[in-house]
Amino acid sequence: MSNEKAILALLQGCNSLKRLRKIHAHVIVSGLHHHVPIANKLLNFCAISVSGSLAYAQLLFHQMECPQTEAWNSIIRGFAQSSSPIDAIVFYNQMVCDSFSIPDTFTFSFVLKACERIKAERKCKEVHGSVIRCGYDADVIVCTNLVKCYSAMGSVCIARQVFDKMPARDLVAWNAMISCFSQQGLHQEALQTYNQMRSENVDIDGFTLVGLISSCAHLGALNIGVQMHRFARENGLDQSLYVGNALIDMYAKCGSLDQAILIFDRMQRKDIFTWNSMIVGYGVHGRGSEAIYCFQQMLEARIQPNPVTFLGLLCGCSHQGLVQEGVKYFNLMSSKFRLKPEVKHYGCLVDLYGRAGKLDKALEIVSNSSHNDSVLWRILLGSCKIHKNVTIGEIAMNRLSELGATSAGDCILLATIYAGEKDKAGVARMRKMIKSQGKKTTPGWSWIEIGEQVHKFVVDDKSHRYSVEVYEKLREVIHQASFFGYVGDESISSLDMLSTMETLKTSCTYHSEKLAIAFGLARTADGTQIRIVKNLRVCRDCHSFIKAVSVAFNREIIVRDRVRFHHFKGGECSCNDYWVMVGRIIMVGQLVQMKTKDASRVKNVFFHVGWRKEERKRGLCA
DNA sequence: TTAGGGTTAG
């Protein structure tokens, strides 16, 4: 065997840098360091292998007299997957400007990977131009890399254009496009792409499923999610860790926590995503105790928690009113698990205290937090609304103003607190602030899935194709609900003074969730569950309304709002009205005022909404 | 000799 062949064989079996150095020394002694295949092999090992060394690779590269494309590819690839992807771009620039070597499809794939990792948008576009000039714009792998790269920058339109122009798309390209939409929050587009994929008879695999299931989770599209689950089972993909994790999250986010638990229990292997999905699932359903139990099991399974774990735990504690436990886990984060709480964790802590009415403590935390973040003050302001605390509410608002972060939503929160105190001047100030600063409210919307179609309703929606039917049904539903305890928001009368405020004028009557529920009642079979996904928090009026509807129409209604889940059944809600405690008392007061007019109706109302204590207290029952 | 796709929070 020739010396060259012997060295190449040695390099083939090389598995450590130490051994490689010995081979390199032998290469130099043999005068073969300019032998191109040997030099390339040495470089490739150092640049790519886990036991290689990029520093050594650079040394070898610079010793090359005239590196060919293969050598450039090795060094660019090595840096693209390293902790310093920018160096991959530096080498690519050198290759293009200072060498005679021409980039090929591999070069473009590697440099695009580097662009994606550091979100180098301009460079990505420049490389895209070179791809076209070099005639590689029909290459399925390079184009898939471009789709991924543009997706990482959030340039979904360009990613879609690249995808659409591809002369042939394989499964990986379709999956990249679906993931792009899913990751950018364009979930309906992800599902539409899947439909297009199906119409072109492309088979799907586990990767496709994960993106689609994730989109179903965000949309609350349980019916489609169940179909995906069925497909996974029939094709043996439900054993995949990724698919299982996505399913747990989907079922939890679509309100079927029991199904999520079932999948979780059956998973053979569980990783941090599995545990977190379950803990977060318990958390957003307000089941703090179970989130804690799950967390303890996770530790027993020797899985180390991460910041997401604690968000789930804190969310559960906050919504179940487990103040002490929440504080304990917040402290454990840093003391035991060496995780530095982020602003979101502080947000949970402020919410935990604020929701429980411990506003002084919540204020102390926001004031002392190194995170001078408007989000924390906004959470505090929200708690002040629940507990009608003007003083701390004003402090929060002032801080928001100082931070230049006041929104129309904040003004409305404080205006509502003032209105509750009959403070007309305060309300007027908020009105002025909204008008003078031209602040806009976030329009509320709700989704409802009917069959395989997700319908979106916005507040006062007249654009939906079935608008006439929806409004007609809603009038009937409100009428029916009024026999079961729905009397309209207690704050409406006190907010009369707000009625002149243009931006606050929107009636609670046509909030998006009411329109979606009316549509759901009209379009689904008696007794079936109705599930709604909403972008904002459910307001107090809608909360009362849905409770009454659940009993009037004998429907289980599950609402996922911005913060948590509400399971309405038989006139009760799973949140136990934890966040509307103050509102409940006022509402009872209003009902008692009605008593003089129609005592039997008031009794009926109390019965159906389950306020037995109130009934007894007011002598309406034994 | 070298390439492309996946899940939790926000």
Side-chain angles (χ1 to χ4, degrees):
Chain A
M1 190 190 282
S2 69
N3 202 13
E4 291 92 329
K5 280 189 179 173
I7 290 170
L8 283 169
L10 282 173
L11 281 168
Q12 196 70 40
C14 178
N15 56 9
S16 75
L17 189 62
K18 196 177 165 187
R19 178 133 181 79
L20 184 113
R21 282 175 191 270
K22 275 189 180 172
I23 300 171
H24 187 205
H26 178 62
V27 167
I28 294 168
V29 170
S30 310
L32 288 169
H33 49 290
H34 295 308
H35 186 275
V36 174
I38 289 176
N40 280 343
K41 196 80 187 166
L42 280 166
L43 173 66
N44 194 266
F45 177 88
C46 291
I48 313 300
S49 166
V50 281
S51 45
S53 154
L54 267 171
Y56 203 77
Q58 265 181 290
L59 191 80
L60 290 170
F61 185 82
H62 289 306
Q63 284 173 355
M64 289 178 156
E65 282 176 350
C66 183
Q68 300 298 297
T69 301
E70 187 182 333
W72 285 104
N73 286 354
S74 289
I75 199 83
I76 294 170
R77 182 187 176 195
F79 277 109
Q81 63 192 34
S82 75
S83 56
S84 179
I86 183 87
D87 287 322
I89 295 174
V90 172
F91 274 98
Y92 170 79
N93 289 343
Q94 281 177 19
M95 179 188 187
V96 174
C97 301
D98 307 329
S99 85
F100 294 104
S101 301
I102 297 167
D104 62 8
T105 53
F106 294 101
T107 324
F108 289 125
S109 291
F110 300 140
V111 75
L112 284 169
K113 172 65 117 188
C115 292
E116 181 194 331
R117 288 189 60 205
I118 58 167
K119 300 199 191 318
E121 190 170 9
R122 271 180 58 190
K123 193 71 201 172
C124 170
K125 286 181 176 168
E126 187 194 306
V127 173
H128 188 180
S130 302
V131 165
I132 295 169
R133 280 192 297 277
C134 293
Y136 293 127
D137 51 331
D139 184 284
V140 68
I141 297 178
V142 173
C143 287
T144 305
N145 272 312
L146 279 167
V147 168
K148 270 207 75 194
C149 201
Y150 281 120
S151 167
M153 326 279 176
S155 304
V156 185
C157 289
I158 310 179
R160 180 78 213 201
Q161 280 168 15
V162 172
F163 179 78
D164 286 340
K165 282 183 184 165
M166 285 168 76
R169 305 176 198 106
D170 63 7
L171 177 59
V172 180
W174 281 98
N175 288 349
M177 196 63 244
I178 289 174
S179 297
C180 165
F181 283 131
S182 184
Q183 284 162 5
Q184 294 300 320
L186 298 164
H187 304 294
Q188 279 174 310
E189 286 80 355
L191 295 182
Q192 281 161 8
T193 307
Y194 162 64
N195 286 333
Q196 195 189 341
M197 188 180 176
R198 240 181 3 178
S199 69
E200 294 187 20
N201 295 319
V202 183
D203 284 334
I204 70 171
D205 66 0
F207 287 86
T208 331
L209 276 182
V210 170
L212 292 173
I213 294 169
S214 168
S215 282
C216 290
H218 285 95
L219 287 168
L222 182 63
N223 296 344
I224 308 171
V226 167
Q227 277 184 32
M228 299 294 164
H229 188 188
R230 196 180 305 129
F231 180 89
R233 224 174 12 236
E234 286 167 2
N235 292 277
L237 296 167
D238 57 336
Q239 297 304 311
S240 146
L241 182 64
Y242 282 95
V243 173
N245 292 347
L247 283 170
I248 292 170
D249 179 56
M250 185 274 291
Y251 278 116
K253 283 210 174 83
C254 289
S256 295
L257 192 63
D258 291 344
Q259 194 61 33
I261 296 167
L262 207 67
I263 293 171
F264 176 81
D265 288 341
R266 286 179 184 164
M267 296 256 302
Q268 305 272 322
R269 235 184 89 210
K270 295 183 177 81
D271 66 1
I272 184 71
F273 284 87
T274 325
W275 289 98
N276 281 356
S277 297
M278 199 64 252
I279 291 169
V280 170
Y282 279 127
V284 294
H285 282 268
R287 288 162 67 164
S289 311
E290 282 143 301
I292 292 171
Y293 180 66
C294 193
F295 174 70
Q296 285 161 348
Q297 285 184 309
M298 174 181 168
L299 296 183
E300 281 173 23
R302 298 183 180 279
I303 301 281
Q304 276 301 301
N306 70 10
V308 180
T309 322
F310 286 94
L311 286 177
L313 270 178
L314 293 170
C315 175
C317 290
S318 175
H319 287 281
Q320 203 182 317
L322 304 174
V323 179
Q324 276 186 342
E325 288 84 348
V327 174
K328 177 183 140 187
Y329 286 109
F330 180 87
N331 291 329
L332 273 180
M333 244 187 112
S334 45
S335 64
K336 189 172 176 186
F337 299 101
R338 297 184 178 187
L339 294 168
K340 192 179 173 199
E342 298 159 18
V343 68
K344 290 164 221 157
H345 299 97
Y346 277 96
C348 287
L349 191 66
V350 173
D351 189 59
L352 182 79
Y353 280 121
R355 208 174 276 270
K358 298 176 187 299
L359 292 168
D360 289 331
K361 189 71 191 167
L363 174 63
E364 186 188 318
I365 287 160
V366 185
S367 306
N368 296 335
S369 166
S370 56
H371 300 94
N372 198 17
D373 198 297
S374 58
V375 172
L376 300 182
W377 290 104
R378 190 162 292 122
I379 292 169
L380 181 63
L381 184 59
S383 299
C384 292
K385 185 200 160 192
I386 299 172
H387 297 284
K388 298 186 185 295
N389 189 314
V390 177
T391 314
I392 298 181
E394 285 179 339
I395 293 172
M397 191 64 170
N398 287 338
R399 283 298 295 136
L400 282 166
S401 297
E402 284 165 21
L403 292 167
T406 48
S407 67
D410 302 327
C411 298
I412 293 171
L413 279 175
L414 190 57
T416 313
I417 302 173
Y418 285 139
E421 296 293 305
K422 310 277 184 226
D423 180 351
K424 288 186 181 179
V427 174
R429 277 201 307 280
M430 289 305 104
R431 177 177 60 199
K432 196 174 164 191
M433 195 183 248
I434 291 174
K435 276 192 173 174
S436 66
Q437 297 179 17
K439 294 185 183 302
K440 297 268 185 286
T441 51
T442 306
W445 53 254
S446 294
W447 282 325
I448 181 166
E449 187 193 32
I450 308 284
E452 285 187 31
Q453 193 75 39
V454 176
H455 297 263
K456 183 179 181 179
F457 291 92
V458 295
V459 62
D460 290 327
D461 201 339
K462 300 278 194 317
S463 63
H464 195 274
R465 60 196 283 218
Y466 301 114
S467 248
V468 176
E469 176 192 343
V470 170
Y471 278 87
E472 199 174 303
K473 183 70 183 175
L474 181 56
R475 279 189 286 275
E476 180 211 323
V477 176
I478 291 172
H479 181 67
Q480 290 291 325
S482 70
F483 292 111
F484 292 88
Y486 178 59
V487 290
D489 193 340
E490 90 290 339
S491 61
I492 287 177
S493 56
S494 57
L495 283 173
D496 274 349
M497 65 178 86
L498 295 175
S499 63
T500 53
M501 295 172 70
E502 202 56 42
T503 38
L504 305 183
K505 207 174 170 179
T506 310
S507 162
C508 299
T509 315
Y510 302 120
H511 275 180
S512 59
E513 57 268 57
K514 284 184 180 162
L515 297 169
I517 286 171
F519 189 57
L521 287 168
R523 290 302 180 95
T524 57
D526 285 347
T528 53
Q529 212 177 49
I530 290 177
R531 289 181 312 279
I532 307 289
V533 174
K534 186 174 164 56
N535 66 330
L536 305 174
R537 283 181 60 173
V538 178
C539 79
R540 200 174 288 166
D541 172 68
C542 289
H543 198 265
S544 309
F545 170 76
I546 305 169
K547 276 165 63 171
V549 170
S550 73
V551 69
F553 290 84
N554 191 27
R555 294 284 194 117
E556 187 181 355
I557 302 172
I558 300 173
V559 179
R560 184 177 99 193
D561 74 9
R562 191 169 57 79
V563 182
R564 60 161 295 158
F565 272 93
H566 299 264
H567 290 249
F568 297 90
K569 196 175 178 182
E572 293 290 337
C573 177
S574 61
C575 77
N576 291 319
D577 300 353
Y578 184 56
W579 62 277
V580 285
M581 295 286 253
V582 184
R584 173 192 279 195
I585 293 157
I586 294 169
M587 192 166 166
V588 170
Q590 282 191 334
L591 289 168
V592 171
Q593 282 171 11
M594 287 164 54
K595 184 185 164 194
T596 48
K597 292 179 188 165
D598 185 353
S600 63
R601 187 176 160 202
V602 173
K603 190 174 182 339
N604 207 20
V605 164
F606 279 144
F607 174 76
H608 281 294
V609 295
W611 297 337
R612 292 293 186 97
K613 273 187 187 169
E614 297 298 338
E615 284 183 62
R616 285 193 199 99
K617 208 162 83 185
R618 299 183 189 279
L620 289 163
C621 75

